Amino acid sequence: MLIIDGKKVSIDLKSELKVRVDEHRAATGKVPGLTVIIVGEDPASQVYVRNKAKSCKETGMHSSVIEMEASTSEEALLSKIRELNDDPDVHGILVQQPLPKQIDEFAVTLAIDPAKDVDGFHPENLGRLVMGHLDKCFVSCTPYGILELLGRYNIETKGRHCVVVGRSNIVGKPMANLMLQKLDATNCTVTICHSATKDIPSYTRQADILIAAIGKAGFITADMVKPGAVVIDVGINRIDDPSTKSGSRLVGDVDYDGVSALASAMTPVPGGVGPMTIAMLLKNTLQSFERANNLQ
Ligand code: GUN
């Protein structure tokens, strides 16, 4: 079984991005800039935001983090976003989710200039993706990272059946639409399963490429997988494990031990899809900078 090593690919990709950032700095004196806004003190979000800022600096990009109090009003956040929309040194704006309940996440998504929406959440970007204009949009980072992995590992996709389990706006919906496109790393027949699907195993067993984005630890078991399938695990679930020092560990949506015995290729958790998400955020930020400065 081939282990699809997202950790390694993300390191390769970040060093490729750094080369381009260094070239742009030498030629223009400017570098891409990402601004992340975090509202409140959710501990998991704080870790994500710190990692995003650290990776940005590693590739030579500029990064700043704006911390706003948990009691921040929607209007105050929207006003900050408008300020960043107008700042020519800011190429990427990311508002970390989840947001406190007084703030409407969709209103926030709509407020971000689509040309700086490096998360790819704005309907303008998702709509362009659905219509196949991938070179003129931002693709949501997790599905984009999976596409990059399939491409770099030369996984055959054309005409194969891809089953996506999960229909979130951030992963499932953009992922299924990407796999449907007429691209080298896609061109699949696509099925989407979700929480109301009757008999999910009857679909997953037909998958040549199975993408699990459900958010339930070990949901996909060996009896749900066709021998030889390529299995992509998007899940990041923390489960209790008294045998570890911290008392817990991270597992995916796929039962790794059972499924790895019959899959032909598989992403591990951790070290599969996760590290690719940040790398693609940086790729999107670089792309935004290049578009803004006519450097493509
Ligand atoms: N929260 C968890 N993942 C993400 C992400 O990719 N983008 C944003 N904005 N918030 C998140």
Side-chain angles (χ1 to χ4, degrees), residues 52 94-97 119 121:
K52 285 168 186 172
L94 183 151
V95 180
Q96 185 67 24
Q97 295 181 359
D119 254 333
F121 292 177

Side-chain angles (χ1 to χ4, degrees), residues 264-290:
S264 64
M266 194 169 166
T267 59
V269 177
V273 172
M276 290 301 292
T277 298
I278 288 188
M280 302 317 282
L281 173 68
L282 303 177
K283 184 170 173 163
N284 279 346
T285 304
L286 173 60
Q287 181 138 62
S288 173
F289 171 85
E290 291 178 342

